Amino acid sequence: MRLMLARASMAISLFLPVYFMVAALGVKFGLWTWQVGLMTMTLQFGLPLFGVSLILGLVALITSLVRKPRTGWRMALVGVLVPVVALGFLATVQLRSAGIPPIHDVATDIVDPPVFSTAVMSARQAVQANPVEAMTASMGSLKAYQGPAFAGIAGKTLGQVGHDAYPAVRPLTLAAAPAKVAAAAEAEAKAQGWKVVTSDPAAGVVEATAETFWFGFEDDVAVRIRPSATGGSVVDVRSTSRVGLSDLGANAKRIEAFLAGLKVRAAAG
């Protein structure tokens, strides 16, 4: 009986990673919506499964060690370690997200940010994506941020919240001419793994869609290149998630990585 319990504990713990991969990849490949994959399968049912697996593993481990023959304790230990590691990872994410503002739209220029084309806006509307709000809009005026939970940022604008949280997300000034930078921007967007939607070097515009590996969440990115006062170029970027309230810092990281790569690419070219 103790051996059966240990085996069941290990089997359930090893099943959990598969379950979460199926939930995430099912969204990515269109088998179900992100609400089903993330909210229902992952959060509503998945997290309690970790708790059940941990309790079962502890029971199996204790019963396998209390008396001889002490068989099955290694399997029971696996049944404990898998959910402990998973829950530890989730706790780390939770702690990290506590210091990240609950926004999903970040731009280098919050006064005059890049704008998305009609094609991108139509694609967003087709999937009922988050509205693209004005960077100068106060957080308290936005529908998604009503209530006491957002009282701390209600008096700030959307742009201010992003700039306060991500000081590295700022316009990039380059010595190269806009046409050269525009070509480098398109190449860098592709190097980042984004799907380029619009590329207009003459207008200094590159638009792309970035997709996450897990769940396949899509974020839209607009890159704008303008001539600088010194004869070079000024690059601005805006990255906006289609779904979700908080991006856990993903859009800011994407912009920072893109600008860092573009800086190297433009200098080398």
Side-chain angles (χ1 to χ4, degrees), residues 14 111 121 150 238:
L14 294 179
V111 177
M121 294 301 293
F150 307 106
R238 182 174 189 172

Side-chain angles (χ1 to χ4, degrees), residues 72-88:
W73 69 267
R74 292 181 179 83
M75 289 185 289
L77 184 60
V78 173
V80 171
L81 290 179
V82 171
V84 163
V85 171
L87 291 172

Side-chain angles (χ1 to χ4, degrees), residues 17-247:
V18 177
Y19 172 81
F20 282 98
M21 285 191 290
V22 169
L25 294 179
V27 177
K28 184 180 181 73
F29 294 111
L31 300 180
W32 41 74
T33 65
W34 72 270
Q35 290 93 336
V36 171
L38 178 61
M39 306 305 293
T40 302
M41 295 180 69
T42 300
L43 299 180
Q44 184 176 345
F45 294 122
L47 295 184
L49 281 175
F50 274 130
V52 171
S53 176
L54 178 58
I55 293 172
L56 182 61
L58 287 172
V59 171
L61 182 61
I62 293 171
T63 56
S64 66
L65 292 175
V66 291
R67 63 188 179 89
K68 297 179 180 180
R70 296 182 175 87
T71 58
W73 69 267
R74 292 181 179 83
M75 289 185 289
L77 184 60
V78 173
V80 171
L81 290 179
V82 171
V84 163
V85 171
L87 291 172
F89 171 75
L90 291 175
T92 301
V93 172
Q94 182 66 26
L95 287 173
R96 189 171 69 247
S97 66
I100 296 175
I103 59 174
H104 49 264
D105 189 358
V106 181
T108 55
D109 185 340
I110 62 174
V111 177
D112 181 22
V115 296
F116 293 107
S117 66
T118 302
V120 171
M121 294 301 293
S122 296
R124 293 179 66 88
Q125 292 170 3
V127 295
Q128 298 181 330
N130 292 324
V132 178
E133 307 286 3
M135 282 285 162
T136 54
S138 67
M139 298 298 292
S141 69
L142 302 181
K143 183 178 179 180
Y145 298 95
Q146 303 297 313
F150 307 106
I153 58 174
K156 295 184 177 182
T157 67
L158 173 61
Q160 287 173 334
V161 173
H163 263 206
D164 290 347
Y166 310 113
V169 178
R170 295 295 187 271
L172 174 65
T173 301
L174 298 171
K180 179 180 177 181
V181 174
E186 180 181 359
E188 183 59 29
K190 292 178 179 178
Q192 294 284 336
W194 306 347
K195 178 183 177 182
V196 175
V197 178
T198 304
S199 179
D200 188 347
V205 173
V206 176
E207 289 181 303
T209 299
E211 181 179 297
T212 63
F213 179 80
W214 297 112
F215 292 100
F217 290 137
E218 292 183 327
D219 299 340
D220 294 305
V221 185
V223 181
R224 182 184 66 202
I225 303 99
R226 289 174 168 175
S228 69
T230 58
S233 304
V234 178
V235 182
D236 283 296
V237 186
R238 182 174 189 172
S239 184
T240 308
S241 301
R242 292 191 180 185
V243 299
L245 185 65
S246 174
D247 63 6

